[in-house]
């Protein structure tokens, strides 16, 4: 387990950017945290670290956005609007989760049974208005 503290959106991005250098093909990141805590900012930092040139936006309404311009494809999921885990399979969740790139899933707590056994759990907690605690924990089967 690794623990980081961030006092700004830019700092959150920098933490994620550094993490991106340690990720490889098939990595899955399950991101946990309340609304507005900085989950998408974290994904933006990962994208920067991977060299993604597209603008990263939350896929809240589309559920999935794929970015192909980096050193590896980045698949960004936001499952906040998923009614049940069966919907995941309709969008090809398994293909992305076990695919040739890096898959990041916001609101992973809503789909616990669908998460890969091997993954990184990223928990972002609000400590104060401007401070966040970011915990990175490796989960293995």
């Amino acid at each position: 387990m690794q623990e980081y503290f961030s006092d700004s959106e830019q700092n959150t991005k920098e933490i994620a950017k550094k993490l991106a250098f340690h990720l490889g093909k098939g990595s899955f990141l399950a991101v946990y945290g309340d609304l507005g805590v900085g989950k998408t900012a974290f994904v933006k930092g990962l994208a920067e670290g991977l060299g993604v040139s597209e603008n990263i936006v939350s896929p809240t309404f589309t559920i999935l956005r794929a970015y192909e311009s980096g050193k590896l494809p980045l698949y960004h999921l936001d499952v906040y609007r998923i009614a049940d885990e069966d919907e995941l399979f309709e969008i090809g969740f398994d293909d992305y989760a076990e695919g040739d790139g890096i898959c990041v899933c916001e609101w992973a707590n809503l789909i616990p049974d669908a998460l890969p056994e091997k993954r990184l759990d990223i928990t972002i907690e609000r400590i104060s208005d401007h401070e966040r605690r970011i915990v990175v924990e490796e989960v293995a089967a």
Side-chain angles (χ1 to χ4, degrees):
M1 180 181 86
Q2 296 175 318
E3 182 178 59
Y4 305 92
F5 292 91
S6 172
D7 60 3
S8 68
E9 183 176 333
Q10 186 57 40
N11 195 347
T12 297
K13 288 180 185 177
E14 287 300 319
I15 292 166
K17 187 175 180 179
K18 290 176 185 171
L19 176 62
F21 292 108
H22 302 284
L23 301 175
K25 182 179 175 180
S27 294
F28 188 97
L29 285 74
V31 184
Y32 304 87
D34 293 334
L35 192 64
V37 80
K39 295 181 296 295
T40 301
F42 189 87
V43 177
K44 287 179 180 183
L46 282 173
E48 284 181 34
L50 293 171
V52 172
S53 60
E54 295 101 327
N55 184 35
I56 305 300
V57 294
S58 179
T60 300
F61 296 102
T62 59
I63 302 173
L64 169 73
R65 291 190 185 269
Y67 303 96
E68 304 278 343
S69 63
K71 68 178 185 177
L72 288 169
L74 175 64
Y75 307 116
H76 182 194
L77 291 127
D78 182 328
V79 297
Y80 187 75
R81 295 187 168 282
I82 293 286
D84 62 58
E85 292 179 1
D86 289 341
E87 281 185 60
L88 290 174
F89 303 107
E90 292 173 17
I91 64 163
F93 177 81
D94 286 343
D95 294 333
Y96 295 108
E98 300 167 6
D100 60 349
I102 295 170
C103 188
V104 183
C105 180
E106 293 188 39
W107 297 100
N109 56 298
L110 300 176
I111 58 162
D113 295 334
L115 297 175
E117 291 182 3
K118 183 179 179 188
R119 64 182 186 273
L120 287 179
D121 281 352
I122 313 293
T123 303
I124 306 174
E125 301 173 307
R126 180 179 283 113
I127 295 174
S128 68
D129 286 346
H130 301 290
E131 191 173 17
R132 306 293 189 258
R133 177 177 176 248
I134 302 169
V135 177
V136 179
E137 192 168 3
E138 190 171 345
V139 177

